[in-house]
């Protein structure tokens, strides 16, 4: 009998546009040994509360990039942890360009860890590095093109410039999580690893590109997230008009969806 050791909870599935039906981006990957929250968009504390997920079970937070729909819930989530008198250390995983900004984000919002019952430890990674969370839970990041259009506005400031897509290694299973991407090319970042499960955002990529990817790579399942209300409606109609084999393969994620791996 196959035992599911991992589950992925779609905590928040909206895009940058605020919705009454969906919270901003956050994904919780649960395992028996480590529970990782990926991104922490505006309102993530409330999303967790509304889904009955204990904030205390989060062992670490991984950031893809710092757009507010992926990061603005961070100080507030730390405040909730402080109020619940958390004891265990919280691990923060981010590309090395983001760590100082995240530290300052807490500092500038008067969330001082010196006044807290728990510690935060930052793990700064380079793209391509394999990060080991536990014996059977690892991830690798790669830079995608989501932020490329912002390069000209940086004015020489390099800090904060990193946007990652992730390959999650869950036991023997490989899950690609695109986070926010720039184009369909980013879907191929881990193509050589042949991920069986694809979780892709759907706001910055054409529907046809998603179908092309499925046809070429034949993943087991594709989950679409990062959806505005109108886009969700449009994609639902498009999925419903597909042949049954594709309808069974493509899932439009809603907040609270739990996938067992
Ligand atoms: Zn986003």
């Amino acid at each position: 009998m196959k035992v599911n050791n991992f589950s992925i909870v779609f905590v928040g599935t909206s895009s940058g546009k605020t919705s009454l039906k969906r919270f901003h981006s956050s994904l919780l990957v649960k395992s028996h040994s480590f529970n990782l929250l990926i991104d922490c968009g505006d309102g993530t504390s409330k999303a967790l509360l509304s889904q009955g997920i204990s904030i205390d079970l989060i062992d670490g937070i991984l950031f893809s990039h710092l757009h507010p729909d992926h990061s603005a819930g961070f100080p507030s989530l730390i405040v909730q942890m402080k109020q619940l008198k958390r004891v265990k250390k919280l691990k923060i995983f981010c590309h090395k360009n983001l760590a100082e900004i995240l530290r300052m984000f807490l500092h500038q919002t008067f969330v001082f860890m010196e006044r807290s019952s728990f510690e935060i430890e930052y793990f700064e990674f380079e793209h391509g590095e394999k990060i080991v969370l536990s014996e059977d839970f690892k991830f690798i990041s790669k830079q995608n093109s989501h932020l490329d259009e912002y390069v000209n506005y940086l004015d020489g400031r390099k800090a904060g410039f990193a946007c990652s897509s992730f390959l999650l290694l869950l036991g023997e299973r490989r899950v690609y999580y695109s986070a926010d991407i720039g184009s369909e090319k980013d879907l191929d970042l881990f193509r050589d690893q042949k991920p069986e499960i694809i979780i892709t955002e759907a706001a910055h990529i054409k529907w046809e590109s998603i179908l092309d990817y499925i046809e070429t790579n034949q993943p087991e399942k594709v989950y679409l997230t990062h959806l505005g209300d109108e886009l969700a409606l449009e994609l639902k109609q498009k999925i419903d008009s597909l042949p049954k084999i594709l309808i069974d393969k493509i899932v439009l994620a809603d907040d609270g969806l739990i996938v067992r791996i």
Side-chain angles (χ1 to χ4, degrees):
M1 196 180 77
K2 188 179 170 232
V3 181
N4 297 116
N5 288 322
F6 302 90
S7 56
I8 296 180
V9 187
F10 289 78
V11 178
T13 60
S14 86
S15 62
K17 196 170 177 184
T18 300
S19 157
L20 290 174
K21 297 177 188 158
R22 297 168 185 272
F23 284 101
H24 287 298
S25 243
S26 195
L27 194 73
L28 178 64
V29 185
K30 290 167 76 179
S31 78
H32 62 90
S33 52
F34 200 93
N35 297 313
L36 181 71
L37 190 73
I38 307 180
D39 285 341
C40 193
D42 191 7
T44 293
S45 309
K46 192 169 178 180
L48 291 163
L49 193 62
S50 73
Q51 289 165 32
I53 299 170
S54 164
I55 285 174
D56 204 40
L57 69 74
I58 298 167
D59 295 304
I61 305 174
L62 166 63
F63 287 90
S64 66
H65 68 303
L66 298 184
H67 267 146
D69 57 319
H70 297 257
S71 73
F74 178 47
S76 173
L77 185 58
I78 301 301
V79 168
Q80 309 318 309
M81 288 175 174
K82 285 174 79 166
Q83 291 190 352
L84 293 168
K85 308 228 177 314
R86 179 186 174 102
V87 176
K88 67 177 169 181
K89 190 185 273 184
L90 179 72
K91 297 179 174 177
I92 304 290
F93 301 89
C94 60
H95 185 269
K96 62 181 173 53
N97 289 1
L98 307 186
E100 194 49 33
I101 314 255
L102 288 169
R103 283 193 189 92
M104 287 308 287
F105 198 5
L106 295 183
H107 196 81
Q108 299 287 355
T109 47
F110 286 76
V111 182
F112 298 115
M113 296 315 290
E114 298 87 329
R115 292 166 52 90
S116 165
S117 53
F118 67 100
E119 273 177 65
I120 291 184
E121 191 175 359
Y122 289 82
F123 294 82
E124 305 173 30
F125 55 78
E126 300 266 11
H127 291 305
E129 209 181 320
K130 187 186 280 182
I131 307 299
V132 179
L133 303 178
S134 71
E135 200 180 316
D136 58 358
F137 187 176
K138 297 154 196 161
F139 73 84
I140 303 168
S141 76
K142 280 194 183 175
Q143 174 77 24
N144 66 44
S145 65
H146 180 60
L147 295 180
D148 286 3
E149 61 184 305
Y150 297 88
V151 169
N152 295 336
Y153 301 92
L154 285 175
D155 200 19
R157 292 166 295 187
K158 281 277 171 250
F161 192 78
C163 188
S164 308
S165 296
F166 303 105
L167 183 71
L168 307 174
L169 302 162
L170 309 178
E172 298 297 305
R173 310 283 276 166
R174 293 172 301 270
V175 178
Y176 171 67
Y177 176 46
S178 72
D180 280 13
I181 51 180
S183 80
E184 69 276 4
K185 288 196 185 81
D186 294 325
L187 283 182
D188 285 331
L189 283 170
F190 291 99
R191 191 180 200 158
D192 55 340
Q193 308 271 340
K194 298 193 175 12
E196 296 99 1
I197 295 164
I198 306 295
I199 302 170
T200 179
E201 68 116 324
H204 303 97
I205 182 169
K206 288 198 192 93
W207 169 243
E208 292 73 23
S209 305
I210 296 170
L211 289 181
D212 281 351
Y213 180 89
I214 295 172
E215 198 184 332
T216 312
N217 297 284
Q218 296 295 326
E220 273 175 38
K221 255 330 188 199
V222 175
Y223 297 89
L224 305 181
T225 185
H226 202 268
L227 309 157
D229 293 345
E230 285 159 28
L231 178 61
L233 205 62
E234 192 186 312
L235 289 174
K236 189 181 179 322
Q237 287 166 355
K238 285 181 166 156
I239 293 169
D240 286 348
S241 69
L242 292 171
K244 171 130 181 25
I245 190 161
L246 282 174
I247 293 178
D248 291 344
K249 198 175 275 234
I250 306 173
V251 178
L252 206 52
D254 280 319
D255 285 15
L257 170 69
I258 300 173
V259 175
R260 304 206 189 274
I261 307 282

